[in-house]
Structures are given as structure tokens and as C-alpha cells.
Amino acid sequence: MEDQHTNPSDQHGKLDLIATQRFSPNGELYKVVDFLNKNLKDYKLMFGLAKKEDKMVISVYEVD
């Protein structure tokens, strides 16, 4: 019998990107993203934060 390898994200649900928005760098933006993730997880939403070039990018995902 062959072992089947699955993508870990498949086990926890699919992430669908809904929107992204770029902002000027702000040292406390991660607190907003953390707040949103903690309070909106029951609505199947997840937020990400990344630094790209000289901007901060917030991404909004729907979790299936």
C-alpha cells in the first residue's frame, strides 16, 4: 500500500484570498491583524500581514 502525502493546508480547510491592501509601514499594524484574527475566526475569516518592499500588505482570506 502506498503512502499518500497530503498538503497540510488541505486538512485544515482551503484559504481563498478575498482582498489585499497596501499601507505605509506601521509598527503596530500587526496588533490590528492579531485583533481581527482573534475576533473574526468564527466568521471563517483570516488575516495576514506581510512586508513587501517599503509597504505593509494586509491580506484577507476566507477559510473553508
Side-chain angles (χ1 to χ4, degrees):
M1 179 179 238
E2 289 184 29
D3 289 337
Q4 290 184 334
H5 297 283
T6 59
N7 184 341
S9 66
D10 292 343
Q11 298 173 8
H12 301 290
K14 184 179 170 188
L15 295 178
D16 293 319
L17 182 63
I18 296 173
T20 61
Q21 180 65 52
R22 290 179 178 256
F23 295 92
S24 297
N26 182 321
E28 295 197 353
L29 201 50
Y30 74 94
K31 291 180 181 180
V32 174
V33 171
D34 187 49
F35 170 79
L36 293 171
N37 279 326
K38 286 180 181 178
N39 290 286
L40 296 177
K41 64 184 174 186
D42 292 340
Y43 294 92
K44 297 185 177 185
L45 295 173
M46 188 171 89
F47 300 82
L49 180 63
K51 185 173 182 180
K52 294 190 179 180
E53 299 168 5
D54 62 339
K55 297 287 185 180
M56 301 297 287
V57 180
I58 291 181
S59 300
V60 182
Y61 300 92
E62 182 177 27
V63 181
D64 289 334

